[in-house]
Amino acid sequence: MSQTLLVTGGAGFVGTALIRSLLTEFPDATVVSLDNYFTGTPENHIDDSRISYLEGSTVDLAKIWAAHGLPAPELVFHLGEYSRIVQSFEDHDLTWDFNVLGTKEVIKFTATAGAKLIYAGSSSKFGNDGDDENLNPYAWTKAKNIEYIKNYSNWFGLDYAITYFYNVYGPGQIANGKYATVIGIFERLYLAGLPLTVVSPGTQTRDFTHIDDIVRGLLLVARGGTGDGYLLGTGREWPLAEVATMFGTEIQLIPALPGERVRGKADLTKAAGLGWQPENQLDKYIAGFVAANPR
């Protein structure tokens, strides 16, 4: 039986990689991407007749879906939210609109369709014994969405599973502009022959996860996951200054930024229960990148 799968944020970094895998893993399915193209881009579109790319806000999801006469989806992968920590102070209104108003409508739409929601939560909520969820507008909205999903399920019925991404990197990552990722920034500066900028003090740690591992985790959770707690990381902390030195070039410390957490490390217990383990390592990835781009 054919299926309809919805990916919000399907023209973004993670969404594009996910859609590519969905086409392989669900050969009889059609995939619908809804993206407002805030960080997503048409250049990420995959040329396949089984994909429909819709432009619009998640706030208007139900209206957009009805206007196109689409069948109810079986799976909804909700990746289309605002997803930057430091920038969320400046973009407070956007963070609220994308992550609160938009996600409320995605949850309602999914429940009405009788579909399963796979939600991309933020690992920022786990830092400092949970207190880090209050460090910045982004982390706070993401943490509140988790509460809302659980309550909505109890109030009205909703099949859901919640994943948490830890600093995703790999092909397709954003390397330019204010929404660039850490590894994307490092690669861009390296290729330009510039010092790699590291936010002070440089000892803060992150758990970096390859995009291929994230996508495998999402598919496993979609098939067999239920409820909260699927952390997708490597379980290893990398100090940011140490990561920068792996590129073998000069580094430059820049002033500390507001809202940044001190540590990040995933507990893989629940994801491992589905048979998921990370297969890619950051140091090997960087070594391969440097070898392919000698200076």
Side-chain angles (χ1 to χ4, degrees):
M1 183 176 66
S2 65
Q3 294 175 297
T4 300
L5 314 176
L6 169 61
V7 179
T8 69
F13 171 33
V14 178
T16 299
L18 173 61
I19 289 176
R20 191 173 289 112
S21 287
L22 289 175
L23 293 172
T24 300
E25 296 294 324
F26 296 86
D28 297 324
T30 57
V31 181
V32 179
S33 164
L34 177 66
D35 204 303
N36 64 4
Y37 294 88
F38 181 69
T39 56
T41 172
E43 283 72 29
N44 285 337
H45 287 188
I46 299 167
D47 185 13
D48 192 297
S49 61
R50 292 162 54 202
I51 309 172
S52 297
Y53 286 97
L54 308 181
E55 182 172 359
S57 168
T58 50
V59 172
D60 301 316
L61 172 56
K63 294 179 182 178
I64 293 170
W65 201 267
H68 285 82
L70 296 167
E74 284 78 20
L75 293 173
V76 174
F77 295 87
H78 185 30
L79 313 177
E81 292 186 314
Y82 188 98
S83 61
R84 290 297 180 270
I85 287 177
V86 174
Q87 295 87 337
S88 68
F89 286 99
E90 178 183 350
D91 294 336
H92 177 261
D93 289 341
L94 287 177
T95 306
W96 181 268
D97 291 347
F98 294 178
N99 294 11
V100 178
L101 301 182
T103 295
K104 177 180 77 70
E105 294 304 319
V106 172
I107 292 167
K108 181 180 178 181
F109 172 82
T110 304
T112 301
K116 180 177 181 179
L117 175 69
I118 297 88
Y119 179 66
S122 171
S123 60
S124 58
K125 78 184 292 286
F126 297 110
N128 194 22
D129 295 324
D131 286 343
D132 280 1
E133 71 177 53
N134 299 309
L135 274 178
N136 53 77
Y138 164 72
W140 184 86
T141 58
K142 295 288 283 186
K144 295 308 168 188
N145 282 347
I146 301 299
E147 295 180 24
Y148 186 64
I149 289 170
K150 292 178 179 179
N151 283 327
Y152 196 98
S153 180
N154 291 330
W155 296 333
F156 305 111
L158 173 69
D159 186 10
Y160 72 90
I162 299 171
T163 64
Y164 297 88
F165 301 168
Y166 279 77
N167 288 82
V168 190
Y169 70 92
Q173 64 197 336
I174 301 175
N176 294 286
K178 69 186 235 181
Y179 303 107
T181 61
V182 173
I183 302 302
I185 293 170
F186 285 172
E187 289 183 357
R188 172 174 54 80
L189 293 174
Y190 173 88
L191 293 173
L194 299 171
L196 271 59
T197 55
V198 179
V199 175
S200 295
T203 54
Q204 66 271 36
T205 67
R206 298 292 183 268
D207 188 342
F208 290 93
T209 319
H210 194 277
I211 182 63
D212 292 348
D213 291 324
I214 292 292
V215 169
R216 282 192 306 104
L218 282 168
L219 292 175
L220 281 170
V221 171
R223 287 191 167 108
T226 182
D228 193 11
Y230 296 98
L231 281 60
L232 304 179
T234 66
R236 174 166 182 175
E237 296 180 73
W238 289 100
L240 291 184
E242 180 180 340
V243 173
T245 60
M246 292 180 194
F247 288 83
T249 187
E250 180 184 355
I251 68 171
Q252 176 183 344
L253 290 178
I254 60 175
L257 299 172
E260 288 224 321
R261 53 190 169 143
V262 175
R263 298 179 62 192
K265 179 182 177 181
D267 179 348
L268 310 185
T269 303
K270 191 162 185 180
L274 294 178
W276 182 86
Q277 287 290 336
E279 297 178 353
N280 298 274
Q281 299 177 23
L282 179 66
D283 51 350
K284 291 183 178 180
Y285 171 86
I286 293 176
F289 174 84
V290 172
N293 300 279
R295 286 175 54 178

